[in-house]
Amino acid sequence: MTRQAKAYLFGGSAVLLWSTVATAFKLSLRHLEPIQLLFYASIASLLVLLMVLLWQGHLRLLLQTSRRDLLLCATLGLLNPCLYYWVLFKAYDLLPAQEAQPLNYTWAITLSILAVPLLKQHLRRLDLLAIGISYFGILVIATHGTPLELRFSNGYGVLLALGSTLIWSLFWIFNTRGRMEPVVGLFLNFLFAIPVIALITWLTAGFEFDSINGLYGAAYVGLFEMGITFVLWLKALRLTESTAKVANLIFLSPILSLFLIHFIVGEEIHWSSGAGLLLIIAGNVLQQLGKPPVPPRDGKQPIRESA
């Protein structure tokens, strides 16, 4: 098997697993509060990432981390996983999964907008058109197909879902300032964030839950949303000849996710959810047109749409 074929294998596996997490969010939130789901999933993710570091032989890198990088990881940990997933899970708690998932998928558009003031990048006319198409897709989803009337199904939930894209984009923009091995950096993000998440959980929802199924769901989320799947995707990026060759696989994830949401969660998929998702995907694809192929950068680029 060639390196590129292996890249497709790892990338495709990551996309398939990420396609399941929106369903896992909704099922888990039937038994856990959003902050509880974040707490238990973060513990599962931390353990998984620790095992990955042991398997890679990178545990020694933790001891070699500079104070500057430790401070950066602690700060970024407040953004992700702490704030990002708390906001995202709350959005999923308030919205149908078929709405929350496509809205969160607009992170790439949010990133391109934030890159203008923060990274001094410029928007092309094609980028502006892509942004317009994607945000029209958001309106179609959020208004259940009546974008001109601006009657939102749940305005607060929509605001949280879009806010999560802002937090995710800020995390990856600031993450480019670090020079750490990506899995080490992510492990430290979780390590520093968990005490804060635990304190918030204790002060709000508490640690008790009504069903062991919630704990199973949290373990699944920690394993496949925050843990192993990140490593699979990172492996694909390192093996590929060009990031674009595996990055395009990510467009399959939200489509597959809608099928799982329908058949497992039991949501009747509204036509506006499908139409809005296609507009968002079209905007993301359009944004990539005319850009030169990007060589892999060992995980320094944003890795995915996050659910």
Side-chain angles (χ1 to χ4, degrees):
M1 186 178 292
T2 65
R3 284 177 59 88
Q4 188 58 46
K6 291 179 181 179
Y8 284 134
L9 177 62
F10 283 111
S13 299
V15 166
L16 287 175
L17 290 173
W18 271 322
S19 300
T20 68
V21 295
T23 296
F25 291 168
K26 289 300 289 188
L27 295 179
S28 302
L29 288 168
R30 292 176 180 176
H31 308 288
L32 297 172
E33 293 295 321
I35 190 63
Q36 291 177 316
L37 176 57
L38 174 56
F39 173 69
Y40 292 114
S42 295
I43 292 175
S45 182
L46 185 72
L47 294 175
V48 168
L49 291 171
L50 178 61
M51 288 188 288
V52 170
L53 289 176
L54 286 169
W55 175 68
Q56 292 179 331
H58 289 167
L59 202 59
R60 57 181 173 78
L61 297 179
L62 292 174
L63 302 177
Q64 300 171 2
T65 306
S66 67
R67 290 184 179 180
R68 174 187 175 277
D69 286 336
L70 286 174
L71 181 60
L72 178 62
C73 287
T75 304
L76 290 177
L78 295 178
L79 285 177
N80 175 49
C82 188
L83 186 58
Y84 169 68
Y85 280 108
W86 192 12
V87 171
L88 181 64
F89 292 162
K90 185 63 177 178
Y92 269 89
D93 198 35
L94 294 173
L95 295 172
Q98 64 181 289
E99 295 180 28
Q101 189 263 0
L103 295 180
N104 177 253
Y105 189 65
T106 61
W107 68 265
I109 298 297
T110 304
L111 181 65
S112 67
I113 296 173
L114 289 177
V116 174
L118 296 179
L119 298 179
K120 308 303 179 184
Q121 295 182 5
H122 301 284
L123 291 176
R124 304 167 299 164
R125 291 181 181 178
L126 198 61
D127 293 324
L128 295 174
L129 178 60
I131 290 169
I133 292 173
S134 291
Y135 277 103
F136 184 70
I138 291 172
L139 282 178
V140 171
I141 294 170
T143 61
H144 282 188
T146 57
L148 299 181
E149 297 180 14
L150 294 180
R151 290 196 305 227
F152 297 102
S153 59
N154 188 313
Y156 183 48
V158 170
L159 184 63
L160 289 174
L162 294 178
S164 71
T165 69
L166 176 64
I167 299 166
W168 181 258
S169 299
L170 286 173
F171 170 76
W172 282 106
I173 286 175
F174 295 142
N175 190 59
T176 59
R177 299 178 181 178
R179 295 162 294 182
M180 302 181 61
E181 200 281 333
V183 180
V184 172
L186 193 63
F187 174 83
L188 289 173
N189 293 153
F190 278 87
L191 183 66
F192 286 117
I194 285 177
V196 178
I197 297 169
L199 178 61
I200 297 172
T201 305
W202 178 61
L203 292 174
T204 56
F207 299 100
E208 296 182 0
F209 47 88
D210 61 11
S211 171
I212 192 66
N213 290 330
L215 206 56
Y216 291 149
Y220 185 93
V221 170
L223 187 64
F224 295 119
E225 160 67 7
M226 306 170 175
I228 287 179
T229 320
F230 167 82
V231 179
L232 291 174
W233 188 253
L234 183 62
K235 184 72 172 178
L237 291 176
R238 287 177 168 171
L239 287 171
T240 188
E241 300 166 0
S242 170
T243 300
K245 289 189 175 182
V246 293
N248 288 335
L249 294 173
I250 210 68
F251 295 121
L252 297 174
S253 181
I255 298 172
L256 294 173
S257 185
L258 280 185
F259 283 99
L260 295 176
I261 289 167
H262 173 65
F263 289 108
I264 298 178
V265 179
E267 292 184 12
E268 192 65 36
I269 303 300
H270 198 279
W271 72 266
S272 58
S273 298
L277 175 60
L278 290 177
L279 286 169
I280 291 170
I281 292 175
N284 281 322
V285 172
L286 188 62
Q287 191 182 36
Q288 301 304 315
L289 295 179
K291 290 185 177 181
V294 181
R297 293 189 292 165
D298 292 342
K300 282 298 181 184
Q301 65 284 343
I303 57 171
R304 62 172 201 51
E305 91 295 353
S306 183

